[in-house]
Amino acid sequence: MKKLTTMLLAVGISVTALVGCGGTPGRADGTAQTVSTDGSTSMEKVIGYLSEAYMAENDGIKITYNPTGSGAGIQAASEGRCDIGLSSRDLKPEEAETLEATVIAIDGIAMIVNPQNPVSDLTIEQIGKLYKGEITNWSEVGGSDAPVVLIGREAASGTRDGFESITGTEGECKYTQELTSTGDVVQTVSSNPNAIGYASLASVNDSVKLLSVEGVTPSTETIQNGTYKIQRDFVFVTPKDKDLSEAAQAFMDYASSAAADEMIEKAGAVPVKR
Amino acid sequence: MSKLKKTADALEKAMNAVFTFCGFLAVAFVLVITAFLVISGVPAIGEIGITDFLFGRVWASTAAEPRYGILPFILTSVYGTAGAIVIGVPVGLMCAVYLAKMSGGKSAGIVRAAVDLLSGIPSVVYGLLGMIIIVPLVREIFRLPDGANLFSAIIVLAVMILPSVISVSETAIKAVPKEYEEASLALGATKTETVFKVIVPAAKSGILTAVVLGIGRAIGEAMAVMMVSGNVANMPGLFKSVRFLTTAVASEMSYSSGLQRQALFSIALVLFVFIMIINLILNFVVKRGESNE
């Protein structure tokens, strides 16, 4: 009962706080313009940083984000239920007939192992075999004789979705641990000499060893020029046949301009090379 | 005079209403939560099929052909809780005996303060320490590839249930009439014999209450076990990475949608039913204890 009361109290306080912040000042004529975005959960951080920075500079514009997943976002954009659809995969040919995709950032997924692990390079095929449980000992990929401990993210994570689709291991991974945050993955890999994990490049620190994939070390440069393979695009999806609202167009221009690069980097993604 | 009395009466009445309202508010919360869980949890069970849901051995909520079997979670929660009780209750009970019977004034004060402090530590801190200390330790001691498993979770849960086990059983032990103990000692029994053959049996209903409370605490814990159990939906094994009922809800809720989300509500409903059963048992135990006295 005590817990319940505390919880309700917390909910009450946060609701009040939200209401408090909700009053966007609006334009001179008193109306606030809303740009609605809908889609990829992996893009939550990117869109969060971008919209916060944009709203701080542009009074009277409100950017909303509905985390529904790439597929749902693309559908929402094609049905006109949102201004901008967010997708962390490229459009399928039939989707591209009516929709326009604008890449605003690239998500680089880094493979990490414990610093004690002698392995420093893996191929995508090897990574796939490791995660599918076809290779269970590090000695098979040039490491020491030790069991492989596979660290991953929870089923609904965008990073997991990206990793599994690029390595072709969807639904087949034999994880030892499924953790709920990037920080947990880095911490666990740093404390277990036999662990391998994946995480957004930006969240990797010195406590773990960064692997090169097919001979290419992940960095902003190798991700931008496409030589580092474990990466995917973050795209804004808009209808081809309809013009965006003034506010949505302005936000899109901002997001694809050099001014947004800093925010994209802060959010852990890699800006597009211009 | 009469005016004063009138104001006092009005105040009395108003406060009465406020108290009654607050009393019913608590009831309302329970009803709302129950109704919400049933309404949002039942449809998915219907769609998946109750036997497939409760006894399905595979949970693959985001696969191309999703499967929603929660038997691994149910068994993990049951085993994890049982393990925590097996380790936590004996330790807690003996600590309570120490506090109630063996210790002198000062040292008991220190131990009691420590126990109180233990109950105030947030579960995320238990999880953090478990993740950084227990998991690597378990890995090295048992020479496993990875230490995040059911065993680590049991250790963490056992420590977490200690405070409630200790304080409830201490009260129960203290309530045993002193004459029992004196009679036992006078008959030539040693102190240890007295504790185990006289005091503990006399306090058994209180100790049982402590056990049930411990079960309640252990089965409902999410944060700490999420950090040490590995979270893979395996059928449970002592040294396997496992997922509990609580963590199954917590780890997927934030991004879930459609049937997956509904299924998570159904898991919450199952958990809720478990807690209800535990509470009913607790009520039963307490009532029986009272009628015995």
Side-chain angles (χ1 to χ4, degrees), chain A residues 8-129:
Chain A
L8 284 164
L9 209 76
V11 169
I13 290 169
S14 47
V15 166
T16 329
L18 278 175
V19 169
C21 308
T24 13
R27 281 192 306 180
D29 58 358
T31 53
Q33 282 180 299
T34 304
V35 179
S36 57
T37 65
D38 189 316
S40 171
T41 51
S42 322
M43 289 171 70
E44 180 171 12
K45 267 175 112 179
V46 168
I47 211 72
Y49 274 95
L50 285 178
S51 56
E52 211 165 281
Y54 189 73
M55 286 191 284
E57 280 172 27
N58 296 275
D59 268 2
I61 292 189
K62 194 167 184 290
I63 295 160
T64 63
Y65 164 63
N66 192 10
T68 52
S70 297
I74 293 169
Q75 205 178 348
S78 71
E79 289 169 8
R81 282 186 284 113
C82 67
D83 293 313
I84 300 171
L86 309 173
S87 170
S88 46
R89 62 168 170 82
D90 292 328
L91 293 181
K92 292 173 186 164
E94 67 267 24
E95 290 166 345
E97 279 171 21
T98 55
L99 295 169
E100 178 93 50
T102 315
V103 178
I104 59 142
I106 311 168
D107 183 23
I109 300 170
M111 301 304 304
I112 51 173
V113 293
N114 191 274
Q116 291 174 32
N117 195 323
V119 174
S120 61
D121 182 77
L122 290 170
T123 64
I124 290 202
E125 197 194 343
Q126 284 174 326
I127 294 170
K129 280 188 174 167

Side-chain angles (χ1 to χ4, degrees), chain B residues 145-164:
Chain B
D146 190 39
N149 50 36
L150 183 58
F151 185 74
S152 302
I154 287 175
I155 302 285
V156 171
L157 284 176
V159 178
M160 292 185 76
I161 64 169
L162 275 182
S164 44

Side-chain angles (χ1 to χ4, degrees), chain A residues 183-208:
Chain A
D184 281 357
V185 172
V186 174
Q187 153 64 29
T188 305
V189 171
S190 73
S191 68
N192 187 330
N194 304 322
I196 179 169
Y198 51 79
S200 288
L201 180 60
S203 45
V204 174
N205 57 31
D206 290 344
S207 65
V208 291

Side-chain angles (χ1 to χ4, degrees), chain A residues 127-150:
Chain A
I127 294 170
K129 280 188 174 167
L130 281 168
Y131 270 89
K132 277 195 245 175
E134 288 165 17
I135 297 176
T136 54
N137 197 298
W138 280 110
S139 61
E140 292 174 61
V141 289
S144 41
D145 180 24
V148 179
V149 173
L150 303 168

Side-chain angles (χ1 to χ4, degrees), chain B residues 186-205:
Chain B
L187 284 171
T190 63
K191 211 159 183 188
T192 312
E193 283 169 337
T194 309
V195 165
F196 285 111
K197 300 210 164 135
V198 177
I199 297 175
V200 169
K204 73 169 185 288
S205 91

Side-chain angles (χ1 to χ4, degrees), chain B residues 82-99:
Chain B
I85 296 296
V86 167
I87 296 174
V89 168
V91 175
L93 183 57
M94 283 188 253
C95 177
V97 169
Y98 168 80
L99 281 176

